[in-house]
Amino acid sequence: MTEHTVSAYENELKGLAQRVAEMGGLAEKQIVGSIDALMRNDHALAQQVRAADGQVDALQREIEEVGILIIAKRQPMAIDLREIVGALRIAADLERIADLAKSNAKRVLAMNGTQSLPKVTGGFDAMARLAMERVKQVLDAYAQRDVAAALEVWGADGDIDALYNSLFRELLTYMLEDPRNIGPCTHLLFCAKNLERIGDHATNIAETIHYMVNGVALVDERPKLDTISMVPVA
Amino acid sequence: MTEHTVSAYENELKGLAQRVAEMGGLAEKQIVGSIDALMRNDHALAQQVRAADGQVDALQREIEEVGILIIAKRQPMAIDLREIVGALRIAADLERIADLAKSNAKRVLAMNGTQSLPKVTGGFDAMARLAMERVKQVLDAYAQRDVAAALEVWGADGDIDALYNSLFRELLTYMLEDPRNIGPCTHLLFCAKNLERIGDHATNIAETIHYMVNGVALVDERPKLDTISMVPVA
C-alpha cells in the first residue's frame, strides 16, 4: 500500500468518526429539544423535534453505507475493523436515542398542556439533565477513545434508574389521588421510561467504546437497578 | 475466482442466512413464551424467557461478526452486499424483538399474579397472536426473499396498532374504575406497548427484505396508526 493510499484510508476512517460525532450532536439536540418542549409545553419545538428525526435516520444509513464500503474496499484488520464496527453500533444507539426523544416530543403534542404538574416537572428536569449529561459524556469518551471515561458512564447508570423509580412512584401517587390525572400521567410514565432507555443506550455506547479500544466485550453485568419490579402492585 | 471459491462463498452467504433464520426461530419462541407466561401467570416460564435472552444476543453478535468477515474477505458487490447488510439489519430487529419479549416476561414476575383481569387477557391474546403471526410471516418472506409477502406484513401493521389502542383504552378504564388496578394495569400498559413495538420491528424487517431484493429503500410512509394521541387527556 502506498503512503498516498494509507492516508486516503485514514481520512476515510476519520470521516466516518466525524459523521458519528455529528450524529451524536444531533441526538443531543433532539433530547434537549424534547425536554424543553415538555417543560414549557412548547408545541412548535415539539413539532421541530419530530420533523428533525429524519435527519438522524438518514445519517445512520449514511454511516452504515460508508462503513460497509470501507470494509469492502480496505479489508481492515483488528483495530481498524473494530473502529468501523464500533461506528455502526454507536450510530444504531444514537438512532434509538433520537427516536426516544421524538417519541417524547409526540407525547408533548398529545398531552396538549395537561402535563403541567409542578412537582413532576422537577423529577423530569433532574432525570433529563442526567440522561443528557450521560450522552454528552459518552460522546466525549468516544471522541477521545477514552475507555476510563466510558466505564464511568457505564457504571453510573444506576443513578438514572433510581430517579426513574422515584418519578414512577410519584406519578402513580398522582394517578391514585385523582382519576383525572390518569390520562396525562400515563403519557408521563412513558416519557420517563423513554429517558431511562436513553440512559441505557448511553451505557451501550460505553460498552462499544470498550470493545473498540480493547478488542474484547465487557464481561461484567452492568450495575443496573431493577426498574420493573418497583411498580407497586396490589 | 475459481469455482471452488465461488462455492465456498455461496456457502458462507447461506450460513449467514441460516443463522438469521435460527435467530428468528428463537425470537418467535421468546414471544410465545412471554405471552404464555403472561396468560397463565407462569413464573417458571417467565424466568426461562428471561434467561434465554442471552442466546439471542450472542447470535446477533455472531451474525455481525460473520457478516463483517464475509464483507472484508469477499468484497461483495450489489446484491450480495445487500444480502449481508440485510442480515445484519434483520438480526438487529430480532434482537430488539427478543428484548421486548424479555421485558414482558420480567413484568409477569413483577406483577406476581395481579394481572388476572379476564377481559384484558382477551385483548392481549388477540394482540399477541397478531404480533407473533406478523413476525412469522415476515421471517417466511425472508426465507423466500418474497417482497410481495414482505409488503403484505408492512401494510398490515395498522391492525396491531388498532388493537393496541383498544387495549390501551380498556386498561385506562380499569384504572379509572378502581385505583387498586393502577399498579398492575401500568405494567400491562407497558406490556401492550412492547407488543405494539414487536409489530413495528416486523415491519422494519419487511422494509429490509424490500431493500435486499430490489436494492432501494421503500419510499412510502408506512401506514401506521397514531398510537400516542389516542390516550385520552383531561
Side-chain angles (χ1 to χ4, degrees):
Chain A
M1 222 178 245
T2 64
E3 269 195 36
H4 173 75
T5 315
V6 171
S7 149
Y9 177 28
E10 275 167 7
N11 281 337
E12 284 169 14
L13 290 178
K14 260 186 212 157
L16 189 68
Q18 268 161 11
R19 280 182 177 90
V20 174
E22 187 192 338
M23 199 181 162
L26 272 180
E28 279 185 78
K29 206 179 142 198
Q30 292 290 83
I31 304 172
V32 176
S34 64
I35 290 303
D36 285 351
L38 181 69
M39 297 298 183
R40 306 195 302 243
N41 185 32
D42 184 336
H43 283 218
L45 183 56
Q47 289 285 17
Q48 218 171 295
V49 170
R50 194 177 177 171
D53 188 56
Q55 287 172 46
V56 182
D57 292 350
L59 206 43
Q60 192 207 352
R61 284 296 183 235
E62 193 186 319
I63 288 165
E64 195 183 66
E65 280 168 26
V66 170
I68 298 282
L69 276 180
I70 300 176
I71 295 171
K73 199 163 115 189
R74 306 290 186 179
Q75 305 174 50
M77 299 308 283
I79 178 116
D80 286 349
L81 188 56
R82 294 202 305 272
E83 174 79 17
I84 300 164
V85 172
L88 300 184
R89 285 189 194 162
I90 292 172
D93 277 305
L94 290 173
E95 191 271 332
R96 299 286 311 141
I97 286 173
D99 223 38
L100 294 163
K102 181 182 74 171
S103 169
N104 279 358
K106 282 162 85 176
R107 288 192 186 275
V108 172
L109 298 171
M111 279 185 282
N112 204 17
T114 52
Q115 77 272 26
S116 20
L117 304 159
K119 279 183 192 165
V120 178
T121 309
F124 265 101
D125 192 41
M127 210 183 151
R129 272 169 198 276
L130 208 52
M132 285 188 294
E133 183 60 23
R134 291 291 146 73
V135 172
K136 200 191 164 308
Q137 282 173 336
V138 86
L139 288 171
D140 288 346
Y142 171 68
Q144 308 294 327
R145 303 295 185 274
D146 183 340
V147 177
L151 286 179
E152 218 168 286
V153 173
W154 186 78
D157 188 55
D159 296 355
I160 296 184
D161 295 343
L163 281 178
Y164 170 71
N165 286 337
S166 302
L167 188 52
F168 205 105
R169 282 177 176 273
E170 201 181 331
L171 286 165
L172 284 180
T173 64
Y174 286 115
M175 292 162 95
L176 288 163
E177 247 169 55
D178 185 345
R180 283 169 300 181
N181 290 334
I182 289 177
C185 281
T186 295
H187 276 302
L188 291 172
L189 286 175
F190 279 102
C191 287
K193 185 73 190 162
N194 287 343
L195 285 176
E196 188 255 338
R197 287 170 60 212
I198 286 174
D200 285 347
H201 286 288
T203 66
N204 287 351
I205 294 174
E207 289 179 7
T208 298
I209 295 167
H210 182 277
Y211 156 81
M212 283 170 69
V213 176
N214 293 340
V216 287
L218 267 174
V219 283
D220 286 343
E221 267 289 296
R222 184 156 65 83
K224 182 162 177 59
L225 284 192
D226 187 345
T227 53
I228 284 182
S229 70
M230 297 300 288
V231 184
V233 287
Chain B
M1 223 179 247
T2 67
E3 270 194 33
H4 173 75
T5 315
V6 171
S7 154
Y9 176 29
E10 275 168 5
N11 281 337
E12 284 170 12
L13 289 179
K14 261 185 211 158
L16 188 68
Q18 268 162 11
R19 280 184 177 91
V20 174
E22 188 192 336
M23 198 181 163
L26 273 180
E28 278 186 78
K29 207 179 142 200
Q30 293 289 83
I31 304 173
V32 176
S34 63
I35 289 302
D36 285 351
L38 180 68
M39 297 297 181
R40 306 194 304 243
N41 186 32
D42 184 337
H43 283 218
L45 183 56
Q47 288 285 15
Q48 219 172 293
V49 171
R50 195 179 175 169
D53 187 57
Q55 287 173 46
V56 182
D57 292 350
L59 206 44
Q60 192 207 352
R61 285 295 184 236
E62 194 186 318
I63 288 165
E64 195 183 67
E65 279 167 27
V66 171
I68 297 283
L69 276 180
I70 301 176
I71 295 172
K73 199 164 115 189
R74 305 293 185 177
Q75 306 174 49
M77 296 311 283
I79 178 114
D80 287 348
L81 187 57
R82 292 203 305 272
E83 175 78 16
I84 301 165
V85 172
L88 300 184
R89 285 189 193 162
I90 292 173
D93 277 306
L94 290 173
E95 191 271 332
R96 299 287 311 143
I97 286 173
D99 221 39
L100 293 163
K102 182 183 75 170
S103 168
N104 279 358
K106 283 162 84 175
R107 289 192 185 275
V108 172
L109 298 170
M111 280 186 279
N112 205 16
T114 51
Q115 77 272 27
S116 20
L117 304 160
K119 279 185 192 164
V120 178
T121 309
F124 265 100
D125 193 41
M127 209 182 153
R129 273 170 198 276
L130 207 54
M132 285 188 292
E133 184 60 24
R134 292 290 146 73
V135 172
K136 200 191 163 307
Q137 282 174 337
V138 86
L139 289 170
D140 288 347
Y142 171 69
Q144 307 294 328
R145 304 295 186 272
D146 183 341
V147 176
L151 286 179
E152 220 169 283
V153 173
W154 185 79
D157 188 55
D159 296 355
I160 297 183
D161 295 343
L163 281 178
Y164 170 72
N165 285 338
S166 302
L167 188 52
F168 205 106
R169 281 176 177 274
E170 201 181 332
L171 286 165
L172 285 179
T173 65
Y174 286 114
M175 292 162 95
L176 289 162
E177 246 170 55
D178 185 344
R180 284 168 300 181
N181 290 335
I182 290 177
C185 282
T186 296
H187 276 302
L188 291 172
L189 286 175
F190 279 101
C191 287
K193 184 74 190 166
N194 287 343
L195 285 175
E196 187 254 340
R197 286 170 59 211
I198 286 174
D200 285 347
H201 286 288
T203 65
N204 287 350
I205 294 174
E207 289 179 6
T208 299
I209 294 167
H210 182 277
Y211 156 82
M212 284 170 69
V213 177
N214 293 341
V216 286
L218 267 173
V219 282
D220 286 344
E221 266 290 295
R222 182 157 65 82
K224 182 162 178 58
L225 284 190
D226 187 343
T227 53
I228 283 182
S229 70
M230 297 299 288
V231 184
V233 287

